[in-house]
């Protein structure tokens, strides 16, 4: 299992989370065909992929503005539990939590879990994974989630 926490731009606390149980590739970007959709001017349509190799995960940059792991620009790198990924130099920051526990350090108890894939019984598209990041989000109190 892997959990991705979108962190508040000023307080470094989770403002939204996505949990994936079975996926071997998780795509993040602005396009609607990604597993995690982030609307930000600095995020590419297909910005980054997280790929599972057995029990390990790696991050692969696909974006024109770059991907940063622990503050260093990368093209491809192994990730560990608690790793911080930033999309572009000033873009959204995502904390990666690996493992089987539902609640990890830094994750709020009772935080909303959003399913990775839509259930076949639900006819409406799942907009809960869409997050609106304003280009000047550093000056805002928090990011705004799109209505379903």
């Amino acid at each position: 299992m892997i959990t991705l926490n979108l962190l508040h731009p000023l307080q470094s606390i989770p403002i939204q989370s996505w949990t994936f149980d079975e996926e071997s590739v998780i795509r993040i970007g602005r396009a609607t065909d990604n597993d995690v959709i982030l609307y930000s001017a600095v995020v590419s349509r297909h910005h980054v992929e997280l790929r599972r190799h057995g029990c390990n995960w790696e991050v692969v940059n696909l974006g024109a503005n770059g991907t940063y792991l622990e503050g260093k620009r990368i093209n491809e790198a192994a990730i560990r539990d608690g790793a911080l990924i930033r999309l572009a130099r000033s873009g959204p920051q995502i904390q990666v939590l690996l493992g089987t526990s539902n609640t990890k350090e830094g994750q709020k108890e009772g935080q909303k879990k959003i399913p990775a894939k839509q259930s076949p019984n639900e006819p409406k598209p799942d907009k809960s994974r869409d997050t609106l990041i304003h280009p000047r989000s550093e000056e805002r109190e928090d990011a705004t989630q799109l209505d379903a």
Side-chain angles (χ1 to χ4, degrees):
M1 174 168 54
I2 184 170
T3 299
L4 306 177
N5 290 326
L6 177 65
L7 300 181
H8 187 281
L10 299 176
Q11 300 172 2
S12 292
I13 59 171
I15 57 174
Q16 188 168 355
S17 293
W18 299 266
T19 299
F20 302 90
D21 291 320
E22 302 296 325
E23 287 77 359
S24 59
V25 176
I26 300 166
R27 292 175 183 88
I28 303 171
R30 277 192 344 258
T32 58
D33 63 340
N34 288 296
D35 300 300
V36 175
I37 302 167
L38 300 175
Y39 294 108
S40 171
V42 297
V43 174
S44 298
R45 286 177 291 151
H46 298 99
H47 197 104
V48 71
E49 286 186 352
L50 301 177
R51 299 177 184 166
R52 179 175 33 197
H53 298 285
C55 295
N56 300 312
W57 286 85
E58 71 173 348
V59 59
V60 179
N61 175 58
L62 305 173
N65 291 331
T67 299
Y68 295 78
L69 177 64
E70 306 296 343
K72 296 178 183 174
R73 188 169 179 151
I74 56 98
N75 286 320
E76 218 174 286
I79 53 176
R80 58 174 175 71
D81 186 43
L84 295 176
I85 299 170
R86 184 176 296 276
L87 307 183
R89 186 176 303 178
S90 62
Q93 186 165 254
I94 297 172
Q95 178 186 43
V96 179
L97 300 175
L98 306 174
T100 58
S101 174
N102 286 336
T103 303
K104 297 261 187 174
E105 185 178 325
Q107 184 178 6
K108 293 180 181 178
E109 185 69 37
Q111 189 172 15
K112 183 178 178 183
K113 296 287 183 189
I114 299 171
K117 298 291 181 192
Q118 183 179 355
S119 167
N121 297 333
E122 295 178 29
K124 293 182 181 178
D126 181 11
K127 297 276 187 178
S128 63
R129 63 188 180 137
D130 295 358
T131 300
L132 178 62
I133 305 287
H134 293 278
R136 300 180 64 87
S137 62
E138 296 82 35
E139 298 172 11
R140 295 177 49 88
E141 274 296 291
D142 60 15
T144 304
Q145 184 173 348
L146 291 176
D147 294 333

